[in-house]
Amino acid sequence: MNVEELVRDSLRELAGEQTSARPGFADRVLAVRRRRRARRLASVAAATVAVVGVAVAVPLLDSGKNDVRPADVVQKSDVTAHPDQSPPRELISAGSTVLAAYYVPKVVKHSDDSAERVRDYWLPDHKTGRYVKTTKWSYVAVAPGLKIAAVLERNLPTSRIGLLDLDTGKIDRWILVDHKVAGVSFSRDGLKLVATTYGENPDELIKMEGSDGWDQKQPSSRTGFYVLDVVSGKGSWSEVKLDNDSNDPMGGFLNARQDFALSPDGRHVWAGNPMGDIGKQFYDLTGAEVAVPEDQKYLDWFVDAGQSPSGKFVAGSFAGKKWKTSSWVFDARTGKKTEVRGQQLLAWVGDTKLIAWDMAPNGKNEFHQRLVLVTLGSDKTVPLSGFRMGNDGDAGRWEPVFAER
């Protein structure tokens, strides 16, 4: 199947229920055809663009336009839940948002005073609809469309990024880099990949003198980021220097792993800054620090859901007022707050619903959580998974990875 057929089939499948893609969409997709060396990957990327461009149709965040989709895009029939499974064995989804993978972290001891935080991943098997364990990869990011994933090998940092075909389970192509990377994330449209570079393994752990537990190694060895074209593998590296102020005992503190990501409109790269006044820092695509964009100032770096598909809302942190476990959702422009059920907001489902971690009704253990679907303006939840046990940070607690299909 060539690119034109792949795009045409994807468009026909969704045309009856979605709006058309933005102008220039076909030109962007068909231009991929000229890149002969990456022909098969181009087909996958084109399919991703077709799904995202048609099903998501995200307007530019400074356009002032509202979401082009219906306000309530998730009906009961669009929810695939397994409230008896934790960790999940079968695919979980709500609308176009899918639990695209999950991982279970563990600490691997290397010596008496050194160890490493390692992730074992479970990836979807599209033929069976089940999650299958893999121990090949240290880090996995799933692209919109659930066709490909960016993967990093076990020994971090690494000099190559794998593009994994989720249908075959095989690497389509390796992207070689000059600066070693330890973290990857896709842009919202799936066309770009941000790779965070480090001088050392950011998941390395050490035992401080007098401590019985493991701590992250300091200072951070983060050096900068790549912005790469997924199809061609080409892009540029930007250095981002650390602020090491020896006169301030807290100056320059950064989590050992503090990865970069693209803003939803693709204009900036940003990362959390635990010691910063606003908790986040933004950069242009050359690595120069810039002011926080107006529609991103309410963004919390530790809240995974981020900005809604239309850009109208931003997921916030714990609220704890109307419900025992609740969070804020902000209007991205005005900052007006709306309370929504959920301890931790993980992923948007359209502009009115989110997937969140939440406790059981009348639950007493804040770490006894399950995935639920929540709705703005409602205290009702739809359970999606079973409860995960143990305290935060315990080995064996699974962590979700979401993507749009």
Side-chain angles (χ1 to χ4, degrees):
M1 180 176 290
N2 61 30
V3 176
E4 291 92 337
E5 292 170 337
L6 192 59
V7 174
R8 186 166 57 250
D9 288 349
S10 298
L11 290 173
R12 184 182 296 115
E13 180 181 347
L14 293 170
E17 54 182 312
Q18 304 290 348
T19 60
S20 61
R22 295 191 300 274
F25 165 68
D27 290 339
R28 292 194 301 273
V29 173
L30 297 181
V32 172
R33 189 182 183 194
R34 295 190 294 270
R35 305 179 188 190
R36 296 180 179 273
R37 294 181 61 187
R39 181 166 292 175
R40 189 176 187 283
L41 181 61
S43 299
V44 174
T48 298
V49 177
V51 173
V52 175
V54 176
V56 180
V58 181
L60 289 176
L61 296 183
D62 62 355
S63 66
K65 296 180 181 179
N66 294 323
D67 190 357
V68 297
R69 295 175 298 170
D72 188 1
V73 296
V74 180
Q75 305 298 326
K76 276 191 175 181
S77 61
D78 292 321
V79 174
T80 302
H82 297 286
D84 59 333
Q85 298 179 12
S86 180
R89 299 181 299 275
E90 299 168 273
L91 200 67
I92 288 176
S93 65
S96 63
T97 304
V98 181
L99 178 64
Y102 65 88
Y103 65 89
V104 174
K106 61 182 180 182
V107 174
V108 176
K109 184 177 178 180
H110 297 311
S111 68
D112 289 342
D113 58 0
S114 68
E116 180 184 3
R117 183 176 290 108
V118 174
R119 304 168 190 80
D120 288 337
Y121 279 88
W122 276 254
L123 302 180
D125 184 324
H126 294 321
K127 294 180 181 178
T128 65
R130 301 175 71 88
Y131 297 101
V132 178
K133 183 180 180 179
T134 177
T135 58
K136 288 183 178 180
W137 317 117
S138 65
Y139 202 94
V140 175
V142 180
L146 279 73
K147 294 295 184 181
I148 61 172
V151 296
L152 302 179
E153 293 169 292
R154 278 295 193 186
N155 294 325
L156 295 176
T158 178
S159 296
R160 62 180 188 173
I161 303 166
L163 295 178
L164 179 70
D165 186 323
L166 291 175
D167 286 328
T168 66
K170 298 180 179 180
I171 294 292
D172 267 322
R173 182 163 52 85
W174 292 99
I175 299 175
L176 304 181
V177 292
D178 296 326
H179 301 269
K180 292 187 176 183
V181 305
V184 286
S185 68
F186 283 95
S187 60
R188 179 161 279 185
D189 61 10
L191 295 175
K192 299 292 184 182
L193 189 66
V194 174
T196 307
T197 59
Y198 292 89
E200 299 177 3
N201 184 356
D203 296 327
E204 185 178 354
L205 302 172
I206 59 173
K207 188 164 289 186
M208 305 294 288
E209 186 176 353
S211 173
D212 293 329
W214 295 103
D215 297 289
Q216 61 181 343
K217 190 175 181 181
Q218 289 294 337
S220 174
S221 67
R222 194 183 70 183
T223 57
F225 61 84
Y226 281 99
V227 178
L228 301 167
D229 179 81
V230 173
V231 174
S232 69
K234 296 180 180 180
S236 60
W237 178 75
S238 298
E239 182 181 17
V240 177
K241 294 183 178 180
L242 299 177
D243 181 15
N244 294 314
D245 185 353
S246 59
N247 296 319
D248 180 357
M250 296 303 291
F253 176 83
L254 191 72
N255 289 325
R257 175 180 285 281
Q258 196 77 60
D259 292 345
F260 292 103
L262 270 171
S263 61
D265 62 6
R267 297 176 180 178
H268 302 99
V269 172
W270 75 283
N273 179 8
M275 298 305 298
D277 293 336
I278 55 176
K280 49 192 175 286
Q281 287 181 314
F282 281 77
Y283 306 84
D284 65 20
L285 301 187
T286 70
E289 190 169 349
V290 298
V292 177
E294 279 297 310
D295 59 359
Q296 299 287 299
K297 60 186 179 182
Y298 300 104
L299 185 72
D300 279 329
W301 68 268
F302 51 86
V303 179
D304 293 338
Q307 200 163 25
S308 67
S310 74
K312 184 177 181 180
F313 298 112
V314 174
S317 57
F318 180 72
K321 289 186 177 180
K322 184 176 179 182
W323 297 293
K324 185 175 181 180
T325 58
S326 59
S327 299
W328 296 120
V329 168
F330 294 89
D331 185 294
R333 296 290 183 180
T334 67
K336 181 181 178 181
K337 295 190 293 187
T338 300
E339 200 169 4
V340 62
R341 176 83 188 199
Q343 280 180 298
Q344 185 179 358
L345 304 179
L346 301 171
W348 284 94
V349 182
D351 257 13
T352 62
K353 299 177 185 290
L354 300 103
I355 297 175
W357 284 122
D358 200 25
M359 295 169 55
N362 302 317
K364 295 182 179 180
N365 184 348
E366 63 179 311
F367 300 117
H368 190 200
Q369 306 159 311
R370 62 182 173 183
L371 293 180
V372 298
L373 182 67
V374 301
T375 303
L376 271 64
S378 173
D379 61 353
K380 295 181 179 179
T381 65
V382 177
L384 299 176
S385 77
F387 289 97
R388 62 177 187 174
M389 308 298 289
N391 293 327
D392 193 26
D394 284 356
R397 278 170 60 89
W398 58 280
E399 300 289 345
V401 176
F402 292 98
E404 287 202 12
R405 58 185 167 192

